Amino acid sequence: IGFDPKLAGEGLALWLCIAAAAMYSGGAILLRRLQGVHAFTIFAWIGLTAAPMLLLASAVFEPGALAAAAALPTLALWPIAYSAIFSSLIGHAGMAYLYGRYPVSTLAPMLILSPVLGAMLAVIVLGDPVTLRLWIGGALVIGSVAVITVRTARGLEPAAT
């Protein structure tokens, strides 16, 4: 997001981010086409099928992580609960609900602004420095939102079916 030169040596991580973005895009298109299924039902099935696979992957690739998780202090569980309830359940189910009712081109600008809002909060709350890279990254994001918004307003996007 901020053009960090250290990322140039992290090819696998960058490709994994690109793959994750492609998967999310494909999922958004599928959620848009899925009609008549409640958003919480979709994510209940996702959780039911993903949890065993993630537990197995954790046991294989992170030996001892489950035992260490049991020893976490109560204060450390609050961020996990926030992520599980608000980010995953409410956030993703809410987006599934919105995808079922609005074109993806209407919702995409809101999602693209997430890194900008995150960077702004990091500067305000954590005191992160405002650098040229941060300005360039923010300008690219805001520019992409403008392109999507103008294209949609001019009717260049195909109509939602």
Side-chain angles (χ1 to χ4, degrees):
I1 293 171
F3 299 113
D4 191 344
K6 295 176 192 171
L7 292 178
E10 299 294 333
L12 177 61
L14 289 173
W15 282 110
L16 287 174
C17 286
I18 291 168
M23 297 284 183
Y24 186 85
S25 299
I29 292 167
L30 290 175
L31 283 172
R32 175 74 181 126
R33 293 181 181 199
L34 186 63
Q35 299 294 321
V37 181
H38 194 275
F40 284 125
T41 303
I42 295 167
F43 285 94
W45 279 106
I46 290 172
L48 186 66
T49 57
M53 290 184 282
L54 291 173
L55 285 171
L56 178 64
S58 179
V60 170
F61 296 111
E62 303 171 324
L66 293 175
L72 285 174
T74 306
L75 186 61
L77 298 178
W78 284 108
I80 296 169
Y82 170 82
S83 178
I85 295 168
F86 292 102
S87 177
S88 295
L89 185 61
I90 295 173
H92 288 98
M95 286 307 298
Y97 174 83
L98 293 173
Y99 283 135
R101 282 152 184 77
Y102 301 100
V104 175
S105 61
T106 301
L107 300 172
M110 290 184 276
L111 296 175
I112 294 172
L113 287 175
S114 293
V116 173
L117 296 174
M120 286 173 44
L121 284 173
V123 169
I124 294 167
V125 176
L126 302 176
D128 283 3
V130 178
T131 64
L132 179 61
R133 285 186 222 155
L134 188 67
W135 282 109
I136 292 171
L140 285 171
V141 170
I142 298 296
S144 66
V145 170
V147 167
I148 292 170
T149 304
V150 168
R151 284 182 54 94
T152 303
R154 289 186 181 167
L156 297 175
E157 289 288 317
T161 56

